[in-house]
Amino acid sequence: MTTTRYALFATLISDGLKVTDGVLAVEGDRIRFAGNRDDFTALPDASDYPVREVAPGSIIIPGLIDLHCHGALGADFSATDHKSVTEAIEYLHRSGTTTLLASLVTAEPSSMIEAAELLAELAEAGKIAGIHAEGPFLSEARCGAQDPRFLQEPDPGFVSELVAASRGQLRTMTYAPELDGTEEIIEQLVSHGVVPSLGHTDASAQVASDSLRFAREQLRSAGVDGFTERPTVTHLFNGMPSLHHREPGPVAACLEEAVNRNAFVELIADGVHLSPDTVRLVYRLVGGSNILLVSDSMAATGLADGQYALGPQEVTVSNGQARLSSDNSLAGGTCTLLQIVQRAVQAGVSLVEAVNSATSIPASLIGLADEVGSLHYGFAADALVLDAELQLVQTIRNGEYL
C-alpha cells in the first residue's frame, strides 16, 4: 500500500516559535519535516512530497489538546451511549481538538464507574487520550454544576474502583484540598500515574498552597519518565471564592504557585467564565508556559440553545451560556478549544502563547510531549490550517484530512 506524502507551505506556529516562511511535510501519519522553506527545498527528497495548496496568509498550528471537556453535539461524556459519545469525539476532532481527555462530572458512584469503562474503551481505540474525573471529592460550598447529592469525602476505595474501571486511562482528577484525607488520595493518584488537579474548593490560601506543593513533591518523587512534575488547577477562578485583599483564598495561592512553576492553571477563556481582562492579566502574571487553555465544553457545544444534560443535572443554554436549570450556576462551556484560543487572542494574548497553552503544554502534562502538541519530525501528523483571521480551514489528524 502506498504511503501518502504531501507538503503544506504556510506560516508555522509551534512550541512558542513562529516560522513565517514555513513548510509542514507529512508522510503517512507522521510529520517528516517542519521548518523553514529553504531548508526543506534543499532536502534531496523534497520533490517526493507533492505540494497541497493553501491560501496565502494561512497559518499552521499543532492539533489542539483539551484536558477538560465534558461533551459536544448533544452527547455527555458522563453518559454511556457509545454511539453519541463517539460522534461527539469525532465532531471535536473535526473542530480542531485532535487530542482530548473526556471529563466525568460528579454523579452516583456506579454511574461514574460505568462511564469510565466506556471511555477507557474509546481511549484504547485511540479516540481520546484518557479520562479526567471532576470529583466527587469536591467542596459542597463551591460545587458549581457538580450535583451536591453525590459529593463525598475522599475515599481510597472509590479511587481504586475508578482506576480499575479506567484500565490505566485515568489521567487527571479534581479534588478539594480542604477535605479530610486528600493527601492520601494525592499519593494514591500519583502512584497510578494520575495528575491531581485542585479545584471546586473553598480552601484558604495556605491550605491550597500547601496542597499544591505536596502534590508537586509526590509527582517529582514518582520519577516516571515523561510524567509531569506539576499538578494542575481546575478552571482557575471558577468554583472558588473570589480573590479578596484580606482573605485571598485559593486564587491567590494558585497564582503564586503557577508563578513559581509549582502548578499549571486552567483558564476557560470563553468570555463567559472569565472576562478578557482577567485572561490577559493571568498571562501577564504567570506567563503562557504555566497556563492550560481548556474548553470545559458540554453537550450543547456545536448545537443551538436549548435543554441539555451535564451528568445528572439539567442545563439550559441561552445565548450560548450553559447554566443549571435549577439555580442558574454556570454549567460548562459551549465553545470548542479553537474558539477558546481565538477569544484568548482577542483578549490580548499573543497567538504564539495561546497556541502553546493549547498544544505543547497540555501534551507535557499528560505524558505525550514526544508524540503530539508540536510540529516536529516524527510526531503525529496532527495540525490545523487556519486562515489569517484564525478561522479553521482544515483539520489534519494522523495525517488524514478530516
Side-chain angles (χ1 to χ4, degrees):
M1 190 165 88
T2 303
T3 301
T4 301
R5 290 178 170 180
Y6 58 88
L8 304 171
F9 287 56
T11 293
L12 306 184
I13 294 178
S14 176
D15 296 296
L17 300 173
K18 181 177 182 179
V19 179
T20 55
D21 194 16
V23 179
L24 177 70
V26 173
E27 181 176 358
D29 64 353
R30 298 283 121 181
I31 294 172
R32 290 307 175 202
F33 181 89
N36 183 271
R37 179 192 295 247
D38 290 341
D39 293 337
F40 175 72
T41 55
L43 295 174
D45 62 345
S47 60
D48 293 339
Y49 293 83
V51 176
R52 291 188 178 179
E53 295 297 327
V54 298
S58 294
I59 300 166
I60 298 176
I61 65 174
L64 303 182
I65 302 173
D66 197 348
L67 302 187
H68 190 154
C69 172
H70 292 282
L73 214 65
D76 177 13
F77 291 154
S78 292
T80 53
D81 184 334
H82 188 286
K83 182 175 183 292
S84 65
V85 169
T86 300
E87 288 174 350
I89 292 167
E90 291 174 347
Y91 166 79
L92 291 171
H93 288 169
R94 293 193 304 273
S95 301
T97 305
T98 54
T99 301
L100 63 105
L101 297 186
S103 298
L104 299 174
V105 293
T106 299
E108 198 278 327
S110 63
S111 297
M112 293 185 71
I113 296 298
E114 189 177 358
E117 290 172 342
L118 169 60
L119 295 175
E121 177 186 333
L122 293 171
E124 290 167 348
K127 293 288 187 181
I128 60 175
I131 302 165
H132 160 230
E134 193 171 9
F137 313 135
L138 308 176
S139 164
E140 184 171 352
R142 301 293 171 182
C143 61
Q146 307 287 323
D147 195 324
R149 295 176 298 169
F150 302 114
L151 296 176
Q152 56 177 287
E153 293 294 310
D155 177 7
F158 177 73
V159 172
S160 294
E161 287 186 64
L162 189 62
V163 167
S166 302
R167 302 198 293 274
Q169 302 298 332
L170 184 64
R171 302 293 184 222
T172 63
M173 187 174 195
T174 304
Y175 73 97
E178 67 269 31
L179 302 182
D180 289 339
T182 54
E183 287 196 351
E184 181 181 357
I185 294 299
I186 289 169
E187 292 175 332
Q188 184 181 15
L189 291 173
V190 172
S191 73
H192 289 288
V194 182
V195 180
S197 186
L198 183 150
H200 284 283
T201 174
D202 204 36
S204 68
Q206 189 65 57
V207 168
S209 180
D210 288 347
S211 184
L212 288 172
R213 291 177 186 179
F214 178 78
R216 178 172 167 81
E217 289 171 3
Q218 296 305 307
L219 290 165
R220 293 188 72 176
S221 64
V224 179
D225 187 37
F227 194 36
T228 181
E229 292 188 350
R230 283 194 260 174
T232 66
V233 174
T234 297
H235 47 51
L236 181 68
F237 295 101
N238 302 116
M240 301 177 181
S242 298
L243 182 67
H244 188 278
H245 58 285
R246 286 192 297 273
E247 295 290 340
V251 171
C254 294
L255 286 169
E256 184 174 15
E257 295 306 320
V259 169
N260 292 333
R261 301 182 65 81
N262 289 327
F264 295 107
V265 294
E266 293 181 357
L267 296 182
I268 310 172
D270 59 2
V272 176
H273 286 79
L274 301 173
S275 79
D277 292 335
T278 299
V279 172
R280 186 174 60 254
L281 176 63
V282 174
Y283 267 88
R284 290 180 178 174
L285 286 174
V286 309
S289 62
N290 302 307
I291 295 170
L292 304 162
L293 287 177
V294 298
S295 71
D296 199 15
S297 69
M298 46 78 69
T301 303
L303 298 176
D305 290 354
Q307 303 298 122
Y308 297 91
L310 181 63
Q313 301 272 64
E314 182 182 275
V315 176
T316 299
V317 178
S318 178
N319 296 320
Q321 294 190 24
R323 295 183 178 272
L324 289 184
S325 303
S326 58
D327 66 7
N328 210 39
S329 296
L330 281 173
T334 60
C335 288
T336 65
L337 187 53
L338 178 57
Q339 290 171 321
I340 296 289
V341 169
Q342 292 165 346
R343 294 185 186 189
V345 172
Q346 291 166 5
V349 177
S350 75
L351 177 59
V352 170
E353 279 193 308
V355 168
N356 225 24
S357 295
T359 55
S360 61
I361 296 170
S364 70
L365 188 132
I366 55 174
L368 296 178
D370 294 329
E371 177 68 18
V372 295
S374 299
L375 303 178
H376 283 314
Y377 176 88
F379 279 50
D382 294 352
L384 309 184
V385 181
L386 310 178
D387 66 18
E389 283 71 48
L390 307 185
Q391 297 302 307
L392 183 63
V393 175
Q394 184 65 63
T395 300
I396 302 166
R397 187 171 190 265
N398 292 325
E400 296 185 359
Y401 279 34
L402 302 185

